[in-house]
Amino acid sequence: MKKTILLTILLAAFASCSDSDTYEDIETPPTTPTNPTNPTNPTNPTTAVTYNKDVKSIIDANCVSCHSSGRSAAFRPLTTFAQVKAAVESAGLLGRIQLQNGQQGLMPQGGRMAQANIDLIVKWNADGLKEN
């Protein structure tokens, strides 16, 4: 009798733990950009991407928590246009944000940001790293 009750409790516990989410659903980051230039096609904006209009909000949301004064990565601040531009041009920012989860050097360290945000930063570089 005790075995039957124990088995019933264990089966109920396992059944309550199931969910419709798969590991892929849980591990795949959302692809909604923080600040899309063109909401109908955010990964391929039709207008030029600029720092103030498109990139600053992405950097603020994903990078500044570490890359600012008094933080763990204060040696490479990313709080101004000039600092972010320099990081793209000479510090490998584009390469680091495009790494996959689990690869050494990925930024942000908490996990890869949404692909649409990465695409906007890459397009910003291709468009000439314009401020406004």
Side-chain angles (χ1 to χ4, degrees), residues 25-97:
D25 292 336
I26 294 168
E27 294 175 357
T28 304
T31 58
T32 304
T34 302
N35 186 15
T37 301
N38 180 355
T40 60
N41 191 3
T43 59
N44 188 15
T46 55
T47 59
V49 176
T50 67
Y51 177 77
N52 288 327
K53 179 174 54 102
D54 305 293
V55 175
K56 183 178 185 330
S57 62
I58 296 169
I59 298 297
D60 288 349
N62 293 282
C63 309
V64 171
S65 62
C66 294
H67 289 274
S68 61
S69 180
R71 301 297 185 154
S72 60
F75 62 90
R76 170 79 60 204
L78 296 174
T79 57
T80 68
F81 163 73
Q83 292 166 340
V84 177
K85 181 180 178 185
V88 169
E89 292 176 326
S90 61
L93 178 74
L94 292 180
R96 296 196 64 175
I97 65 172

